């Protein structure tokens, strides 16, 4: 029951962390409360992940990309940002003319989770304990340990919290967090429509609502499908989630101003509270935070998983470069410093954009229209944003 690292949380970032560390020759245990049936075949949760090239390359190297059906991977050729009514000049980010031909790839979150579990389940040195919760966790300068709900005690050099943006382990470690509550919720589902999405991801800041339409790989039917991400007041999202299907289709068609033609629901509807989280610290003695437990991003940039994947890479690299003790202070300090530099500016900028672009007072409406028009003419700015969206760094 002794490990080099215990990872609390078997979500995609927790599983990726376990894979990275085990491939480096460490003995790792991932603990997940969900039953094995959920990890082996996760249910649809509405989330479509915009994978950067860096993230896709990591998944390929780990063997997870091959576990995702090729017909479920949708390349994104263009990112389109609009504000106001349909017809307003958009801000466009296109894949570079000299290649590659995609800014990134849209893949359903549940397929990524399934693929990572399949890889993790066959990775030597990695044990996955499913259907087990952590009753208590302890970590100090000497060691880390957890007691599971069945009474089993596990010890390790390092405990990693990958248990989500409302992390109980983070709270137990006495680490506070910035919680930006936008006072709204998002509804996510798949919609079929007659118009082509042209492999374009749309982020549309309309008055009173924010809509994203993310392209989904074709399924052979006439027309196309997109993932709808609708941000509204909490009570409106609750109403739409249970609205009768025909009425829902009609309302979404109206809300999208008919730009894709009549919209037809083709998946369950899922909703989530819109809260961004940033931990005050990323580590404590023999304890580290990764994924949403460290940084829970606003979904406007669709970069949450990409940052989570980079965070576990940063931790694995710091451990590999360290003195051999996965929980050594020098290791955790290096990880925290590097991960903060990579995430703090993007977190602040994302929250600022989300705040400004969802306020509908006249000055804000005029400012964001002007901002998009000016940004569309600044080629160095567009090139820098395109590079960030693609993230081709190895």
């Amino acid at each position: 029951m002794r490990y080099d690292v215990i990872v609390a949380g078997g979500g995609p970032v927790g599983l990726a962390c376990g894979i990275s560390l085990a491939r480096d020759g460490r003995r790792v245990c991932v603990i997940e409360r969900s039953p094995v049936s959920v990890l082996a075949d996760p249910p649809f949760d509405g989330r479509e992940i915009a994978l950067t090239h860096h993230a896709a390359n990591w998944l390929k190297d780990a063997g997870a990309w091959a576990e995702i059906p090729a017909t479920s991977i949708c390349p994104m050729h263009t990112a389109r940002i609009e504000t106001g009514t349909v017809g307003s000049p958009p801000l466009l980010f296109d894949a570079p003319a000299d290649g590659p031909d995609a800014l990134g790839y849209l893949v359903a979150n549940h397929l990524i989770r399934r693929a990572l579990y399949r890889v993790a389940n066959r990775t030597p040195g990695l044990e996955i304990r499913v259907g087990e919760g952590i009753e208590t966790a302890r970590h100090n300068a000497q060691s880390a340990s957890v007691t599971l709900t069945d009474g089993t005690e596990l010890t390790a050099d390092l405990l990693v919290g990958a248990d989500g943006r409302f992390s109980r382990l983070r709270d137990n470690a006495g680490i506070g967090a910035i919680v930006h509550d936008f006072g709204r919720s998002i509804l996510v589902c798949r919609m079929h429509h007659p118009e082509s999405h042209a492999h374009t991801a749309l982020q549309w800041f309309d008055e009173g609502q924010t809509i994203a339409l993310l392209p989904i790989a074709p399924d052979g039917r006439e027309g196309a499908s997109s993932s709808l991400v609708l941000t509204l007041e909490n009570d409106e999202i609750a109403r739409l989630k249970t609205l009768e299907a025909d009425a829902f289709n009609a309302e979404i068609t109206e809300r999208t101003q008919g730009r894709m033609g009549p919209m037809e629901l083709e998946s369950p509807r899922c909703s989530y509270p819109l809260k961004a989280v940033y931990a005050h610290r990323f580590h404590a003695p023999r304890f580290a935070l990764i994924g949403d437990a460290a940084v829970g991003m606003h979904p406007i940039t669709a970069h949450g998983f990409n940052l989570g994947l980079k965070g576990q890479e940063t931790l694995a690299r710091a451990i590999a470069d360290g003195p051999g003790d996965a929980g050594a202070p020098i290791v955790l300090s290096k990880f925290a410093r590097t991960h903060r530099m990579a995430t703090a500016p993007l977190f602040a900028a994302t929250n600022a954009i989300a705040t400004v672009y969802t306020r509908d007072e006249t000055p804000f409406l005029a400012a964001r229209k002007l901002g998009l028009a000016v940004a569309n003419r600044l080629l160095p700015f567009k090139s820098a944003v395109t590079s960030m969206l693609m993230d081709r760094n190895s």
Side-chain angles (χ1 to χ4, degrees):
M1 298 303 178
R2 173 76 188 182
Y3 302 90
D4 295 311
V5 181
I6 296 170
V7 180
V13 173
L15 290 173
C17 183
I19 293 167
S20 291
L21 294 173
R23 291 173 73 194
D24 284 345
R26 286 170 179 81
R27 190 172 181 219
V28 185
C29 180
V30 173
I31 302 169
E32 171 55 39
R33 187 180 298 272
S34 302
V36 66
S37 58
V38 172
L39 268 71
D41 190 16
F44 175 82
D45 62 12
R47 296 179 172 121
E48 300 291 330
I49 307 300
L51 296 171
T52 63
H53 288 269
H54 179 91
N57 288 336
W58 188 94
L59 292 170
K60 290 173 184 176
D61 183 60
W65 191 262
E67 298 289 351
I68 301 172
T71 54
S72 298
I73 299 171
C74 186
M76 178 176 62
H77 298 157
T78 301
R80 181 185 182 99
I81 303 174
E82 295 184 17
T83 184
T85 58
V86 173
S88 298
L91 173 60
L92 299 175
F93 298 97
D94 295 308
D98 57 350
D101 64 352
L103 293 172
Y105 306 92
L106 273 299
V107 182
N109 185 57
H110 70 286
L111 297 181
I112 296 173
R113 291 178 61 195
R114 186 180 70 181
L116 286 168
Y117 174 73
R118 289 178 177 177
V119 173
N121 202 37
R122 62 175 183 253
T123 298
L126 175 54
E127 179 183 351
I128 307 174
R129 282 180 168 261
V130 298
E132 295 280 4
I134 294 177
E135 190 69 26
T136 58
R138 298 164 297 280
H139 43 87
N140 53 39
Q142 285 71 46
S143 67
S145 64
V146 298
T147 301
L148 305 183
T149 49
D150 68 355
T152 302
E153 184 167 322
L154 312 177
T155 61
D157 294 327
L158 176 66
L159 173 62
V160 176
D163 53 338
R165 65 184 64 199
F166 306 114
S167 168
R168 186 168 66 88
L169 290 185
R170 183 184 65 214
D171 293 342
N172 290 345
I175 299 176
I178 299 168
V179 180
H180 193 145
D181 188 348
F182 291 89
R184 295 187 172 194
S185 296
I186 59 172
L187 182 143
V188 287
C189 60
R190 291 186 171 190
M191 305 294 297
H192 191 78
H193 44 79
E195 300 297 328
S196 169
H197 52 53
H199 293 271
T200 296
L202 169 69
Q203 182 71 53
W204 178 19
F205 300 98
D206 194 13
E207 292 186 38
Q209 63 180 6
T210 301
I211 292 176
L213 289 172
L214 308 177
I216 292 174
D219 59 5
R221 289 191 297 161
E222 186 175 350
S225 295
S226 295
S227 173
L228 169 73
V229 185
L230 176 62
T231 305
L232 287 170
E233 301 293 337
N234 297 328
D235 56 350
E236 277 293 279
I237 292 297
R239 179 185 64 83
L240 284 169
K241 189 176 179 181
T242 58
L243 191 62
E244 188 272 329
D246 288 342
F248 179 82
N249 292 338
E251 182 163 339
I252 298 304
T253 301
E254 181 179 357
R255 285 185 175 277
T256 55
Q257 298 184 27
R259 63 188 304 150
M260 307 298 282
M263 305 287 274
E264 180 183 352
L265 182 67
E266 62 174 14
S267 78
R269 287 165 274 185
C270 306
S271 63
Y272 303 95
L274 195 52
K275 295 182 181 182
V277 176
Y278 199 92
H280 292 162
R281 292 180 287 123
F282 292 159
H283 72 101
R286 297 198 176 276
F287 178 67
L289 292 169
I290 60 172
D292 282 357
V295 183
M297 293 288 291
H298 188 293
I300 191 175
T301 60
H303 258 48
F305 175 70
N306 297 306
L307 283 179
L309 201 59
K310 276 199 161 183
Q312 64 83 25
E313 284 184 274
T314 300
L315 178 60
R317 191 175 302 115
I319 292 173
D321 294 342
D325 178 353
I330 191 173
V331 169
L332 300 184
S333 295
K334 180 181 179 181
F335 155 69
R337 182 172 59 253
T338 305
H339 196 41
R340 190 167 298 278
M341 289 176 61
T343 58
L346 185 57
F347 181 83
T350 298
N351 285 351
I353 292 170
T355 299
V356 170
Y357 274 77
T358 53
R359 295 188 61 174
D360 293 333
E361 296 91 335
T362 300
F364 286 95
L365 291 172
R368 67 199 200 200
K369 287 183 180 179
L370 178 61
L372 290 188
V374 171
N376 210 31
R377 292 176 173 84
L378 297 176
L379 297 185
F381 166 79
K382 291 183 67 174
S383 178
V385 172
T386 299
S387 296
M388 183 200 73
L389 291 174
M390 298 179 70
D391 188 5
R392 298 167 64 186
N393 298 322
S394 59

